[in-house]
Amino acid sequence: MTDVRRWDVPGRVNLIGEHLDYNGGPVLPMAIDRSLTIKVRNRDDDTINLWSDLPGSSKVAFGTGVQPGEVDGWAVYAAGIVWSFMSAGHQFGGADLVVESRIPSGSGLSSSAALTCGIASALNQMHDFGLDRTDLALLAQRAEHDFVGAPVGLMDQLAVLYGEAGHAVLIDTAQSPPTTDTVPVTWEADALTLLVINTRAHHSLADGEYAARREECERAAAELGVEWLSEATLDATIGLTDETLKARTRHVLTETARVRAAVNAINRGAWTQLGTILTASHASLRDDFEVSCPELDVAVEAALDAGALGARMTGGGFGGSAIALVPLDRVAIVRERVEARYAAQRWKPPEAFVVRAADGAHLVD
Ligand code: ADP
Ligand code: MG
C-alpha cells in the first residue's frame, strides 16, 4: 500500500565510555547492522494500534492522549514516545504501527531506543514537525524518563539516530544538548572484526543499581564541587572520604581518559592499543563501578583467552552483551571458547555475532 512508510532503525553497541553519558563525559557508541523495521500508516481516528513480533506480544491499542501509567508491559516504550510528542505540543492523529525486530530485546543493544527513535522519526516525517535528530533524541529520552520510569542518559538515542555506516559516533555529553561527531572505524581493513556476545543474562538488579550509580555520581560531583563528575581531577578524589564514591569517581575519570585514548588509537589504526583500552574499561566497570556480572566477566575472559585483542561489557551491565575486537581468523575459536565456558557453568548458551557500523534510523520506502 502506498500510504505505508517503512523505517529501518539500528541497535547499537557502545565501543567505550560506559556510564559516562550522565556524567558529562565523552561516549563512543556505534549503530550496528542489527536493526528493526517499523511500518507506519496514519489513521482517521485517534487510536494507535501496535503489532510486534516480540515473543509473547499481542496487539495493543491506546489513544493518542495516553498518559503515564495507562500502558505497561512491552508496549510501554511505544506509548511513551506518543505521549512525549503529544505533551510537547506536537499533535497528531492515530496510526497503525507494525514492528519487526532483529535486535534481541533486553540484551543491552538498545532495542528500546531503536523503537522510540524509530517511531519518533516516523512521526516527525509524516507530520512535518521539522524536528532535528537531537530534538527527536530528547523526546525519546523524555518518554523513557517520565513514561517508562527509566532515568537513562542520551547516548542510545543519539547513537541510533546519528549512526553512519563505517563510523562510530563520538558524543560530548557535557554540552547541552550533547553534540555528535563521527569517527571512521577501519579495523575491517586490517582483518579484524567486532564480535557481540549476548550473554542472554538479565539480572533483576539492573534498574535499581543503575539509579543507585547515578545517585552516587551526583553525590560525588556535589562533594567535589563540579557540575559533571567527569570534570573532576584525579587529585581531588583523594578528598572523598567514602571509598565507594571514590571508586565510582575513579571509574568515571579513568574511563573519560580511555575514550580519548581509544579515539586516538582508532584514528591511528593502533588496534592492539585499542584492545588494551577496551579490556581496561571492563576491569574498571567490574572493580570500580561494580556493574558487571559473572556472565559478562566469563565472556570477556574467554574471548581474550581465545585471541581477542580486547573485550568489555557494553551497555548498562548486570547482563546484556559484551563486545570483543577479534582477528577474523579467530572468530570461530572465540565463539567456541565462550560457548564452552558457558556450558561448563551450566548457563544458557550465549549468542555471538559479528557486527558492522551501520546507518542511523532512515526511511526505506
Ligand atoms: P534493550 O534496550 O537493551 O534491548 P530494554 O529493557 O531497555 O533493553 O528494552 C526492551 C524493551 O523495548 C522491551 O521490553 C519492549 O518494551 C521494547 N521492545 C524491544 N523490542 C521490541 C519489539 N520488537 N517490539 C516492541 N517493543 C520492543
Ligand atoms: Mg534499552
Side-chain angles (χ1 to χ4, degrees):
M1 275 188 298
T2 53
D3 58 350
V4 176
R5 291 277 180 276
R6 199 156 54 101
W7 285 76
D8 186 63
V9 199
R12 67 98 188 90
V13 292
N14 187 16
L15 291 176
I16 194 155
E18 212 62 82
H19 286 271
L20 292 191
D21 65 338
Y22 54 87
N23 282 307
V27 297
L28 189 68
M30 181 182 108
I32 56 174
D33 55 351
R34 282 272 178 138
S35 62
L36 55 76
T37 304
I38 304 177
K39 285 186 252 178
V40 193
R41 177 175 59 188
N42 283 329
R43 293 177 57 85
D44 295 333
D45 59 13
D46 291 328
T47 301
I48 304 286
N49 288 316
L50 184 62
W51 290 264
S52 170
D53 61 352
L54 196 68
S57 66
S58 50
K59 182 197 154 189
V60 169
F62 50 85
T64 50
V66 64
Q67 293 297 312
E70 290 177 2
V71 170
D72 56 13
W74 69 273
V76 67
Y77 285 88
I81 192 67
V82 167
W83 167 81
S84 194
F85 268 74
M86 294 292 283
S87 61
H90 309 300
Q91 309 276 316
F92 56 94
D96 291 331
L97 300 168
V98 179
V99 184
E100 288 164 12
S101 182
R102 294 154 301 277
I103 311 168
S105 170
S107 301
L109 303 178
S110 226
S111 67
S112 58
L115 187 73
T116 53
C117 293
I119 296 175
S121 301
L123 292 174
N124 186 41
Q125 185 260 339
M126 291 175 93
H127 300 286
D128 288 327
F129 290 133
L131 301 165
D132 69 20
R133 287 178 287 182
T134 301
D135 297 329
L136 299 179
L138 289 164
L139 285 168
Q141 184 192 33
R142 199 160 148 261
E144 294 211 37
H145 280 198
D146 297 337
F147 198 100
V148 180
V152 293
L154 259 181
M155 171 176 73
D156 297 350
Q157 299 82 355
L158 291 170
V160 154
L161 289 162
Y162 282 96
E164 242 180 63
H167 295 76
V169 184
L170 179 61
I171 303 172
D172 180 353
T173 70
Q175 306 299 318
S176 188
T179 52
T180 64
D181 205 352
T182 50
V183 177
V185 290
T186 58
W187 49 69
E188 285 172 7
D190 290 317
L192 294 165
T193 194
L194 196 71
L195 192 69
V196 168
I197 304 161
N198 175 7
T199 66
R200 299 174 71 216
H202 309 278
H203 292 288
S204 53
L205 288 171
D207 291 352
E209 292 290 325
Y210 182 88
R213 290 302 173 279
R214 282 194 76 131
E215 191 265 330
E216 288 162 353
C217 290
E218 272 166 33
R219 262 196 297 145
E223 270 195 45
L224 293 168
V226 289
E227 184 192 357
W228 299 110
L229 190 51
S230 66
E231 287 169 355
T233 61
L234 266 178
D235 289 359
T237 60
I238 295 165
L240 289 170
T241 46
D242 184 318
E243 287 303 319
T244 302
L245 294 194
K246 212 182 254 187
R248 306 298 187 244
T249 304
R250 199 160 49 228
H251 167 72
V252 168
L253 298 182
T254 58
E255 185 78 349
T256 297
R258 277 188 294 270
V259 177
R260 313 227 187 273
V263 170
N264 204 299
I266 290 170
N267 286 335
R268 288 186 296 112
W271 307 126
T272 306
Q273 196 180 352
L274 177 63
T276 304
I277 297 165
L278 296 179
T279 306
S281 168
H282 185 78
S284 178
L285 288 156
R286 181 190 62 210
D287 302 334
D288 279 342
F289 218 65
E290 296 182 274
V291 290
S292 190
C293 64
E295 293 87 346
L296 285 166
D297 294 342
V298 165
V300 166
E301 283 160 23
L304 293 171
D305 285 352
L309 298 189
R312 61 181 290 274
M313 52 163 276
T314 187
F318 301 104
S321 298
I323 53 170
L325 186 65
V326 183
L328 272 176
D329 60 2
R330 308 291 295 181
V331 168
I333 299 161
V334 169
R335 189 180 276 130
E336 279 163 28
R337 189 74 58 94
V338 176
E339 283 170 1
R341 294 283 304 274
Y342 270 55
Q345 299 279 353
R346 298 179 187 284
W347 290 335
K348 252 189 285 186
E351 180 198 10
F353 49 91
V354 163
V355 291
R356 312 183 76 175
D359 283 331
H362 57 277
L363 184 63
V364 179
D365 51 33

